[in-house]
PDB file of all heavy atoms in Angstrom:
ATOM      1  N   PRO A 179     -18.608  -7.903  11.038  1.00 98.00           N
ATOM      2  CA  PRO A 179     -19.330  -9.044  10.294  1.00 98.00           C
ATOM      3  C   PRO A 179     -20.142  -8.516   9.176  1.00 98.00           C
ATOM      4  O   PRO A 179     -20.449  -9.299   8.257  1.00 98.00           O
ATOM      5  CB  PRO A 179     -20.210  -9.686  11.368  1.00 98.00           C
ATOM      6  CG  PRO A 179     -19.473  -9.342  12.673  1.00 98.00           C
ATOM      7  CD  PRO A 179     -18.960  -7.945  12.501  1.00 98.00           C
ATOM      8  N   LEU A 180     -20.579  -7.203   9.138  1.00 98.00           N
ATOM      9  CA  LEU A 180     -21.279  -6.683   8.063  1.00 98.00           C
ATOM     10  C   LEU A 180     -20.399  -5.945   7.033  1.00 98.00           C
ATOM     11  O   LEU A 180     -20.908  -5.362   6.105  1.00 98.00           O
ATOM     12  CB  LEU A 180     -22.368  -5.654   8.619  1.00 98.00           C
ATOM     13  CG  LEU A 180     -23.412  -6.240   9.567  1.00 98.00           C
ATOM     14  CD1 LEU A 180     -24.357  -5.172  10.039  1.00 98.00           C
ATOM     15  CD2 LEU A 180     -24.195  -7.363   8.869  1.00 98.00           C
ATOM     16  N   GLY A 181     -19.125  -5.997   7.182  1.00 98.00           N
ATOM     17  CA  GLY A 181     -18.204  -5.387   6.303  1.00 98.00           C
ATOM     18  C   GLY A 181     -18.055  -3.889   6.559  1.00 98.00           C
ATOM     19  O   GLY A 181     -17.534  -3.201   5.631  1.00 98.00           O
ATOM     20  N   ILE A 182     -18.510  -3.400   7.635  1.00 98.00           N
ATOM     21  CA  ILE A 182     -18.265  -1.978   7.977  1.00 98.00           C
ATOM     22  C   ILE A 182     -17.076  -1.807   8.829  1.00 98.00           C
ATOM     23  O   ILE A 182     -16.804  -2.569   9.779  1.00 98.00           O
ATOM     24  CB  ILE A 182     -19.517  -1.451   8.810  1.00 98.00           C
ATOM     25  CG1 ILE A 182     -20.820  -1.621   7.982  1.00 98.00           C
ATOM     26  CG2 ILE A 182     -19.359  -0.099   9.293  1.00 98.00           C
ATOM     27  CD1 ILE A 182     -22.067  -1.570   8.767  1.00 98.00           C
ATOM     28  N   ARG A 183     -16.246  -0.850   8.397  1.00 99.00           N
ATOM     29  CA  ARG A 183     -14.977  -0.611   9.135  1.00 99.00           C
ATOM     30  C   ARG A 183     -15.069   0.602   9.943  1.00 99.00           C
ATOM     31  O   ARG A 183     -15.758   1.611   9.544  1.00 99.00           O
ATOM     32  CB  ARG A 183     -13.813  -0.495   8.120  1.00 99.00           C
ATOM     33  CG  ARG A 183     -13.552  -1.753   7.377  1.00 99.00           C
ATOM     34  CD  ARG A 183     -12.288  -1.731   6.530  1.00 99.00           C
ATOM     35  NE  ARG A 183     -12.377  -0.771   5.429  1.00 99.00           N
ATOM     36  CZ  ARG A 183     -11.795   0.358   5.319  1.00 99.00           C
ATOM     37  NH1 ARG A 183     -10.937   0.734   6.331  1.00 99.00           N
ATOM     38  NH2 ARG A 183     -11.879   1.168   4.300  1.00 99.00           N
ATOM     39  N   ALA A 184     -14.346   0.711  11.099  1.00 99.00           N
ATOM     40  CA  ALA A 184     -14.359   1.879  11.918  1.00 99.00           C
ATOM     41  C   ALA A 184     -12.992   2.074  12.433  1.00 99.00           C
ATOM     42  O   ALA A 184     -12.428   1.134  13.083  1.00 99.00           O
ATOM     43  CB  ALA A 184     -15.410   1.778  13.049  1.00 99.00           C
ATOM     44  N   ASN A 185     -12.392   3.280  12.290  1.00 99.00           N
ATOM     45  CA  ASN A 185     -11.049   3.604  12.766  1.00 99.00           C
ATOM     46  C   ASN A 185     -11.061   4.952  13.331  1.00 99.00           C
ATOM     47  O   ASN A 185     -11.905   5.768  13.075  1.00 99.00           O
ATOM     48  CB  ASN A 185      -9.995   3.389  11.682  1.00 99.00           C
ATOM     49  CG  ASN A 185      -9.799   1.938  11.203  1.00 99.00           C
ATOM     50  OD1 ASN A 185      -9.274   1.174  11.970  1.00 99.00           O
ATOM     51  ND2 ASN A 185     -10.197   1.682   9.996  1.00 99.00           N
ATOM     52  N   VAL A 186     -10.061   5.192  14.238  1.00 99.00           N
ATOM     53  CA  VAL A 186      -9.769   6.487  14.916  1.00 99.00           C
ATOM     54  C   VAL A 186      -8.591   7.171  14.182  1.00 99.00           C
ATOM     55  O   VAL A 186      -7.560   6.558  14.058  1.00 99.00           O
ATOM     56  CB  VAL A 186      -9.476   6.314  16.335  1.00 99.00           C
ATOM     57  CG1 VAL A 186      -9.282   7.719  17.025  1.00 99.00           C
ATOM     58  CG2 VAL A 186     -10.557   5.526  17.075  1.00 99.00           C
ATOM     59  N   ILE A 187      -8.725   8.490  13.917  1.00 99.00           N
ATOM     60  CA  ILE A 187      -7.577   9.297  13.647  1.00 99.00           C
ATOM     61  C   ILE A 187      -7.337  10.162  14.890  1.00 99.00           C
ATOM     62  O   ILE A 187      -8.207  10.878  15.354  1.00 99.00           O
ATOM     63  CB  ILE A 187      -7.823  10.205  12.415  1.00 99.00           C
ATOM     64  CG1 ILE A 187      -7.979   9.299  11.158  1.00 99.00           C
ATOM     65  CG2 ILE A 187      -6.650  11.181  12.282  1.00 99.00           C
ATOM     66  CD1 ILE A 187      -8.297  10.171   9.846  1.00 99.00           C
ATOM     67  N   ALA A 188      -6.096  10.058  15.445  1.00 98.00           N
ATOM     68  CA  ALA A 188      -5.761  10.771  16.627  1.00 98.00           C
ATOM     69  C   ALA A 188      -4.713  11.740  16.293  1.00 98.00           C
ATOM     70  O   ALA A 188      -3.515  11.420  16.320  1.00 98.00           O
ATOM     71  CB  ALA A 188      -5.365   9.804  17.726  1.00 98.00           C
ATOM     72  N   PRO A 189      -5.036  12.997  15.932  1.00 98.00           N
ATOM     73  CA  PRO A 189      -3.970  13.981  15.631  1.00 98.00           C
ATOM     74  C   PRO A 189      -3.248  14.531  16.823  1.00 98.00           C
ATOM     75  O   PRO A 189      -3.714  14.600  17.910  1.00 98.00           O
ATOM     76  CB  PRO A 189      -4.816  15.159  14.986  1.00 98.00           C
ATOM     77  CG  PRO A 189      -6.215  14.613  14.777  1.00 98.00           C
ATOM     78  CD  PRO A 189      -6.331  13.597  15.764  1.00 98.00           C
ATOM     79  N   GLY A 190      -2.045  14.991  16.565  1.00 97.00           N
ATOM     80  CA  GLY A 190      -1.281  15.823  17.414  1.00 97.00           C
ATOM     81  C   GLY A 190      -1.664  17.268  17.060  1.00 97.00           C
ATOM     82  O   GLY A 190      -2.833  17.537  16.726  1.00 97.00           O
ATOM     83  N   PHE A 191      -0.779  18.164  17.290  1.00 97.00           N
ATOM     84  CA  PHE A 191      -1.043  19.643  17.178  1.00 97.00           C
ATOM     85  C   PHE A 191      -1.219  20.000  15.727  1.00 97.00           C
ATOM     86  O   PHE A 191      -0.328  19.846  14.864  1.00 97.00           O
ATOM     87  CB  PHE A 191       0.051  20.468  17.804  1.00 97.00           C
ATOM     88  CG  PHE A 191      -0.219  21.912  17.761  1.00 97.00           C
ATOM     89  CD1 PHE A 191      -1.033  22.492  18.714  1.00 97.00           C
ATOM     90  CD2 PHE A 191       0.216  22.711  16.746  1.00 97.00           C
ATOM     91  CE1 PHE A 191      -1.341  23.811  18.645  1.00 97.00           C
ATOM     92  CE2 PHE A 191      -0.030  24.059  16.689  1.00 97.00           C
ATOM     93  CZ  PHE A 191      -0.859  24.612  17.702  1.00 97.00           C
ATOM     94  N   ILE A 192      -2.474  20.520  15.385  1.00 98.00           N
ATOM     95  CA  ILE A 192      -2.778  20.876  14.025  1.00 98.00           C
ATOM     96  C   ILE A 192      -3.102  22.367  13.903  1.00 98.00           C
ATOM     97  O   ILE A 192      -3.825  22.933  14.841  1.00 98.00           O
ATOM     98  CB  ILE A 192      -3.971  20.074  13.516  1.00 98.00           C
ATOM     99  CG1 ILE A 192      -3.813  18.542  13.697  1.00 98.00           C
ATOM    100  CG2 ILE A 192      -4.278  20.361  12.048  1.00 98.00           C
ATOM    101  CD1 ILE A 192      -2.655  17.965  13.037  1.00 98.00           C
ATOM    102  N   ALA A 193      -2.681  23.010  12.919  1.00 96.00           N
ATOM    103  CA  ALA A 193      -2.858  24.471  12.754  1.00 96.00           C
ATOM    104  C   ALA A 193      -4.373  24.726  12.379  1.00 96.00           C
ATOM    105  O   ALA A 193      -4.621  24.740  11.165  1.00 96.00           O
ATOM    106  CB  ALA A 193      -1.932  24.949  11.694  1.00 96.00           C
ATOM    107  N   THR A 194      -5.135  24.987  13.354  1.00 97.00           N
ATOM    108  CA  THR A 194      -6.572  25.303  13.087  1.00 97.00           C
ATOM    109  C   THR A 194      -6.936  26.382  14.207  1.00 97.00           C
ATOM    110  O   THR A 194      -6.064  26.806  14.959  1.00 97.00           O
ATOM    111  CB  THR A 194      -7.503  24.092  13.358  1.00 97.00           C
ATOM    112  OG1 THR A 194      -7.358  23.775  14.744  1.00 97.00           O
ATOM    113  CG2 THR A 194      -7.073  22.890  12.514  1.00 97.00           C
ATOM    114  N   ASP A 195      -8.217  26.838  14.160  1.00 96.00           N
ATOM    115  CA  ASP A 195      -8.612  27.773  15.169  1.00 96.00           C
ATOM    116  C   ASP A 195      -8.369  27.138  16.631  1.00 96.00           C
ATOM    117  O   ASP A 195      -7.929  27.810  17.509  1.00 96.00           O
ATOM    118  CB  ASP A 195     -10.112  27.982  15.092  1.00 96.00           C
ATOM    119  CG  ASP A 195     -10.472  28.862  13.778  1.00 96.00           C
ATOM    120  OD1 ASP A 195      -9.558  29.431  13.235  1.00 96.00           O
ATOM    121  OD2 ASP A 195     -11.648  28.835  13.409  1.00 96.00           O
ATOM    122  N   MET A 196      -8.735  25.845  16.775  1.00 96.00           N
ATOM    123  CA  MET A 196      -8.450  25.238  18.058  1.00 96.00           C
ATOM    124  C   MET A 196      -6.967  25.199  18.352  1.00 96.00           C
ATOM    125  O   MET A 196      -6.585  25.463  19.515  1.00 96.00           O
ATOM    126  CB  MET A 196      -9.017  23.798  18.037  1.00 96.00           C
ATOM    127  CG  MET A 196      -8.898  23.115  19.457  1.00 96.00           C
ATOM    128  SD  MET A 196      -9.418  21.395  19.393  1.00 96.00           S
ATOM    129  CE  MET A 196     -11.170  21.474  18.984  1.00 96.00           C
ATOM    130  N   GLY A 197      -6.107  24.891  17.399  1.00 95.00           N
ATOM    131  CA  GLY A 197      -4.678  24.873  17.594  1.00 95.00           C
ATOM    132  C   GLY A 197      -4.173  26.260  17.992  1.00 95.00           C
ATOM    133  O   GLY A 197      -3.407  26.411  18.939  1.00 95.00           O
ATOM    134  N   GLN A 198      -4.642  27.293  17.303  1.00 94.00           N
ATOM    135  CA  GLN A 198      -4.235  28.653  17.620  1.00 94.00           C
ATOM    136  C   GLN A 198      -4.685  28.995  19.040  1.00 94.00           C
ATOM    137  O   GLN A 198      -3.941  29.721  19.808  1.00 94.00           O
ATOM    138  CB  GLN A 198      -4.889  29.675  16.571  1.00 94.00           C
ATOM    139  CG  GLN A 198      -4.345  31.126  16.706  1.00 94.00           C
ATOM    140  CD  GLN A 198      -2.881  31.162  16.653  1.00 94.00           C
ATOM    141  OE1 GLN A 198      -2.226  30.589  15.661  1.00 94.00           O
ATOM    142  NE2 GLN A 198      -2.170  31.810  17.617  1.00 94.00           N
TER     143      GLN A 198
END
Side-chain angles (χ1 to χ4, degrees):
L180 297 181
I182 297 163
R183 299 186 292 107
N185 290 292
V186 181
I187 295 177
F191 183 81
I192 307 298
T194 65
D195 293 344
M196 186 185 293
Q198 188 56 50

